[in-house]
């Protein structure tokens, strides 16, 4: 058994690094990298940028004289008609409440129908039709909002 913690690498010349009378062996140098040359096999792609993209100018963007107004404009993102928006939001909340009630009623009607209680199921079906008519009435309330 040897004193070295790892077996000797057969590709490294010389003695083992832990051998007496010799210091650590430096790692071999990697092969040189090839010279970098930007380019493509297609000559048309090796042209300078201003030839490939003539529409891009040094002043494109903030310094371009063709750009007069940046962004969406004054007042963008603010509510133009707050009354109409609040009316639509209230109507939407009411309609969603009715739809949730319809889903709840549908589960009750199906449960009663499957249990054999058809009288209650027909009353529940009437509730569903009535709630549908409420939503239809909300929709017909103001035709200009559609």
């Amino acid at each position: 058994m040897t004193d070295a913690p790892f077996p000797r690498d057969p590709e490294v010349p010389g003695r083992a690094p832990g051998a007496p009378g010799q210091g650590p062996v430096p790692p071999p140098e990697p092969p040189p990298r090839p010279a970098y040359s930007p380019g493509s096999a297609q000559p048309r792609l090796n042209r300078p940028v201003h030839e490939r993209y003539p529409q891009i100018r040094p002043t494109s963007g903030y310094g371009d004289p063709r750009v007069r107004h940046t962004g969406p404009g004054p007042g963008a993102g603010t509510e133009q008609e707050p009354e109409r928006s609040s009316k639509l939001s209230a109507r939407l909340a009411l309609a969603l409440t009715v739809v949730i009630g319809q889903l709840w009623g549908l589960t009750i009607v199906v449960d009663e129908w499957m249990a054999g209680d058809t009288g209650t199921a027909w009353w529940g079906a009437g509730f569903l039709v009535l709630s549908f008519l409420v939503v239809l009435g909300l929709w017909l309330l103001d035709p200009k909002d559609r």
Side-chain angles (χ1 to χ4, degrees), residues 1 21 24 32 34 37 39 49-51 60-61 65 68 74 80 86 105 110-111 115 117 126 146:
M1 192 135 213
S37 59
V49 173
H50 66 276
E51 289 179 15
S60 286
R68 293 197 189 122
Q80 303 297 325
S86 64
V110 169
D111 284 344
D117 190 4
R146 280 182 245 131

Side-chain angles (χ1 to χ4, degrees), residues 25-42:
V25 177
E29 292 186 25
R33 292 184 178 174
Y36 175 73
S37 59
S40 173
Q42 301 174 16

Side-chain angles (χ1 to χ4, degrees), residues 94-122:
L94 213 75
L96 287 175
T97 305
V98 171
V99 167
I100 290 171
Q102 284 179 326
L103 291 173
W104 170 78
L106 185 63
T107 59
I108 300 298
V109 167
V110 169
D111 284 344
E112 292 299 320
W113 185 268
M114 296 302 250
D117 190 4
T118 55
T120 307
W122 283 113

Side-chain angles (χ1 to χ4, degrees), residues 87-97 138:
K87 186 168 48 172
L88 289 175
S89 297
R91 202 177 307 164
L92 179 66
L94 213 75
L96 287 175
T97 305
L138 288 172

